Amino acid sequence: MINWGMAVISLAAAQGTGSKAVANGASGFLFSSPVDHALVAGTLVAICAGVVGTFAVFRGQSFATHSLSDIGAAGGAAALLAGVTPLAGFASMGTVAAIALESAETTSAKDRDITTGVLLGGSFGLSALLLYLASNFTNVSGATTGVLFGSLFTVSASTLPFLAAISVVVVLSVGLVARRLTLASFDPDLVRVKGKSPRTAGLIFLVALGLAVAMASLSLGAILSAALMIGPAASVLRLTSRVGTAVLTASLLAVAETWLGIYLAYESYSWPPNHDGWPASFLVVALVLLVYLASRGLERLRVLMGGNVGLSGGSATERGRGATPHV
Amino acid sequence: MANGTVLEARDLVVEFPGRRVLDGVSFSIREGELVSLIGPNGAGKTTIFRSVLGLLKPTSGLILTRAKRQSDSATAATTARINGTAATATATSTVAKRAFGYVPQQVSFDRELPLRVKDVVRLGIDGHKFGFSRDRKGREKRIAEVLEETGIPELASKRVGELSGGQQKKVMIAHALAGEPEMMILDEPLANLDLKSQDQVVALLERVSKVKHVAVFLSAHDINPLIPVTDKVIFVSGGKAACGPINEVMNSEVLTSLYGHRVDVFDYHGRMVVLADPEGGHHHDHAEGHGGEGRLNW
């Protein structure tokens, strides 16, 4: 059974505490077992976040992504209560919620928002109950904090193969449906007139999204995971004109933000106020936010410079124009 | 179905709860023909398109299509009777879907969409399929050909979300052509375009029909921009339709019969002006807001 409270203790023991950690520097960072596990897990999560997040953002499913992560909290809490790894709970609930969202007969974006909102509200209530029960009737310490805010440093070696297997499933699933998803993103009827179903691709994608969110929930927590799914993709989408480049860049950016966040969390044991470490999830999400803001600044710079700054291809001469097509 | 006919609809009836949208509509379209579907809002234009495309199951009627079968280079004539059963309707749809290139009225190319024009055209070839694409060389050659045919090779590497409405419309026409259809179906392709863009799109569609011999079936509110290029007009109103050359359909006698009250058609400096009797029942509603008492604006 996982003990969220042990994370801080094990990390502190692995690196030495306080000023000793500073003396160990980067070499101590790389030879710490919890850090190594966090880096491997974080890398897998970040790659999936880049792949899935790119499609989620340009398909307008950022709210669904956030909802799936919040809904997954109920699964994580149920897993703690049942005495199994939270990953199983996050993944099961994420998959069920994804199928429920895609199966709901919504005819408009407004309908979809209402359905998502209702499911989200219900799952929050269920999460509150399950977290209360887990906190009071199990010997799991820090259950609520662990489920909601995660901890990269609690990922065990035995969990890594499962994360790797889920990553493969996620990446292959998105690769399988990528073309149809892209076509359906500008009009689902363009898929239907070819005799194919846009909903099949949508369902496969949402399940992949649910699994990726589950992985991110384990490391960053149910509440913060959506930031890693959406942030890196949103940061690069306006800087490139190719889906492949966007996926690759978003993944690399997510990996970089995760690694830097883990390094800062390790170093934070020498930081005030208490010299007992800052939450890795906060540091990763803070980096995601900073990079996103910087990307928007770069976007503005492109407009001012006439579109000569960017990752690849495409004219940016009209970047300043609005989203509505004009004549 | 006669030789050279790519689509024929006979006695098409579509009923929605509480009302009959199409009431025995019949028409045919030959290869290389440019056919304009004209009528006021709510007349059933989109319902006709959705029926032909297999997106909507008609209540009754007959749709005949000549489809290019991917597994058989020979052209096959396919007939299906739509009688409300799922099996026959599905058979009709499956055949029809292979033959049509579709351009929706409004495609939302968001600025976040990381796609270039050639990517959108590429999706017209195999965007509906699962898995990773093959025959990269063949696809790239086809994309270059289509961009050349539609007159937009210089836009190939532009980000599609940043193009003008007229350019995006041409991109979608290229997307539809990339699938090598024998008929293009375009829902209000001239809507929300300025006059210059309208002229460019009309000229492009004329090239598609006359040079590539691909039938073009499009809907519009206003016949005037299409008069020089339209081979046949299908005028639909109140669930009924009249089909034929413009001068045989767009005249006072036919439209009066279709509407059930007096409608006058005038030639005003080469433009067709249609005026309805101001006392002419519910059709008068369509005249409101279009700058002229009793004028029907399509």
Side-chain angles (χ1 to χ4, degrees):
Chain A
M1 182 177 294
I2 197 163
N3 186 335
W4 299 98
M6 285 300 291
V8 171
I9 298 168
S10 62
L11 178 61
Q15 67 163 170
T17 55
S19 58
K20 189 178 172 185
V22 177
N24 284 345
S27 59
F29 171 73
L30 291 173
F31 289 102
S32 161
S33 177
V35 170
D36 289 346
H37 296 161
L39 288 174
V40 174
T43 302
L44 294 171
V45 169
I47 290 170
C48 290
V51 172
V52 172
T54 301
F55 287 91
V57 172
F58 81 65
R59 279 173 57 81
Q61 291 183 308
S62 297
F63 180 50
T65 305
H66 180 66
S67 301
L68 282 175
S69 67
D70 288 345
I71 291 168
L80 286 180
L81 201 58
V84 298
T85 173
L87 180 61
F90 285 131
S92 305
M93 185 59 92
T95 305
V96 170
I99 292 170
L101 286 179
E102 186 58 34
S103 303
E105 287 291 337
T106 54
T107 53
S108 66
K110 188 180 171 187
D111 273 357
R112 196 174 61 217
D113 271 4
I114 291 171
T115 305
T116 308
V118 168
L119 274 176
L120 185 59
S123 71
F124 268 138
L126 186 59
S127 299
L129 174 67
L130 293 172
L131 286 171
Y132 167 79
L133 294 173
S135 299
N136 288 282
F137 298 101
T138 68
N139 60 355
V140 180
S141 62
T144 303
T145 305
V147 168
L148 297 182
F149 302 105
S151 175
L152 273 162
F153 298 117
T154 62
V155 178
S156 65
S158 62
T159 307
L160 295 179
F162 292 105
L163 287 179
I166 295 175
S167 301
V168 170
V169 170
V170 167
V171 172
L172 287 181
S173 299
V174 175
L176 181 72
V177 300
R179 280 186 292 172
R180 195 182 293 184
L181 271 184
T182 308
L183 183 58
S185 71
F186 44 92
D187 194 328
D189 277 349
L190 292 171
V191 176
R192 291 192 187 100
V193 299
K194 297 292 184 183
K196 305 294 181 185
S197 166
R199 292 191 73 176
T200 308
L203 179 62
I204 292 172
F205 175 70
L206 265 188
V207 170
L209 180 61
L211 290 173
V213 164
M215 293 170 64
S217 296
L218 184 73
S219 54
L220 297 179
I223 286 183
L224 300 180
S225 60
L228 188 67
M229 307 298 296
I230 298 166
S235 299
V236 305
L237 270 177
R238 293 191 181 188
L239 304 178
T240 177
S241 302
R242 301 182 189 196
V243 176
T245 308
V247 167
L248 186 65
T249 315
S251 298
L252 289 174
L253 181 57
V255 169
E257 289 166 344
T258 302
W259 278 49
L260 187 55
I262 292 170
Y263 180 74
L264 291 175
Y266 181 86
E267 288 295 314
S268 68
Y269 278 82
S270 62
W271 295 358
N274 297 325
H275 302 282
D276 59 356
W278 289 37
S281 48
F282 160 74
L283 292 165
V284 171
V285 170
L287 287 168
V288 168
L289 177 64
L290 286 174
V291 171
Y292 175 71
L293 292 175
S295 78
R296 298 309 297 262
L298 186 62
E299 169 76 10
R300 295 225 169 214
L301 191 65
R302 284 166 62 102
V303 175
L304 291 174
M305 293 178 65
N308 295 321
V309 185
L311 295 171
S312 71
S315 165
T317 52
E318 297 177 305
R319 299 260 177 203
R321 296 183 182 172
T324 308
H326 48 86
V327 292
Chain B
M1 194 162 74
N3 266 351
T5 302
V6 291
L7 175 74
E8 187 172 347
R10 289 184 202 160
D11 297 324
L12 213 55
V13 174
V14 174
E15 289 177 343
F16 293 148
R19 72 190 181 107
R20 179 171 279 211
V21 180
L22 299 181
D23 186 14
V25 168
S26 299
F27 60 87
S28 67
I29 297 173
R30 296 174 61 79
E31 62 187 17
E33 254 185 351
L34 196 151
V35 179
S36 299
L37 179 61
I38 306 291
N41 282 336
K45 300 193 294 292
T46 300
T47 303
I48 289 176
F49 277 169
R50 293 186 72 79
S51 301
V52 169
L53 287 166
L55 299 173
L56 183 153
K57 192 167 75 175
T59 309
S60 67
L62 186 67
I63 292 179
L64 304 160
T65 64
R66 191 190 66 177
K68 282 179 183 167
R69 291 180 182 277
Q70 290 172 341
S71 58
D72 181 355
S73 58
T75 303
T78 305
T79 307
R81 166 76 61 183
I82 298 169
N83 59 8
T85 65
T88 50
T90 302
T92 310
S93 304
T94 304
V95 172
K97 281 161 189 164
R98 291 177 184 164
F100 299 151
Y102 175 51
V103 179
Q105 180 177 348
Q106 186 73 45
V107 173
S108 54
F109 287 120
D110 196 277
R111 288 184 69 217
E112 303 285 355
L113 200 63
L115 288 180
R116 298 160 299 174
V117 166
K118 57 184 170 188
D119 298 324
V120 175
V121 176
R122 184 179 294 115
L123 288 171
I125 299 172
D126 57 9
H128 57 288
K129 292 181 179 172
F130 276 159
F132 297 96
S133 54
R134 297 169 190 168
D135 188 20
R136 191 185 173 96
K137 266 189 177 177
R139 282 189 319 153
E140 296 308 310
K141 188 176 170 216
R142 177 72 191 138
I143 291 165
E145 283 172 4
V146 171
L147 289 173
E148 200 65 47
E149 286 165 6
T150 46
I152 52 171
E154 75 284 358
L155 298 181
S157 295
K158 301 275 188 189
R159 194 177 171 105
V160 69
E162 295 174 348
L163 300 179
S164 70
Q167 288 171 323
Q168 288 187 351
K169 195 63 77 179
K170 289 180 196 169
V171 172
M172 282 310 298
I173 291 170
H175 164 93
L177 274 175
E180 300 186 76
E182 62 180 29
M183 184 163 85
M184 299 264 291
I185 293 182
L186 305 97
D187 194 356
E188 303 273 2
L190 306 184
N192 303 318
L193 298 185
D194 59 25
L195 289 177
K196 185 181 172 192
S197 298
Q198 281 190 4
D199 288 345
Q200 290 173 346
V201 169
V202 168
L204 170 58
L205 293 175
E206 186 186 23
R207 283 205 305 275
V208 169
S209 66
K210 298 299 174 277
V211 178
K212 290 189 66 63
H213 304 292
V214 173
V216 173
F217 187 23
L218 61 89
S219 63
H221 275 76
D222 184 3
I223 186 67
N224 284 300
L226 298 161
I227 288 175
V229 299
T230 294
D231 297 304
K232 189 188 288 178
V233 64
I234 300 169
F235 192 96
V236 58
S237 176
K240 300 283 188 184
C243 176
I246 291 180
N247 56 358
E248 289 180 18
V249 173
M250 300 293 287
N251 59 53
S252 298
E253 188 183 350
V254 172
L255 295 193
T256 296
S257 164
L258 208 56
Y259 273 93
H261 62 84
R262 184 175 167 178
V263 175
D264 293 313
V265 180
F266 300 100
D267 185 325
Y268 180 74
H269 296 300
R271 287 182 64 82
M272 196 164 273
V273 178
V274 183
L275 294 173
D277 179 357
E279 304 300 318
H282 72 280
H283 296 294
H284 178 62
D285 293 343
H286 298 299
E288 291 180 3
H290 292 291
E293 179 72 7
R295 181 180 167 201
L296 291 169
N297 189 330
W298 296 300

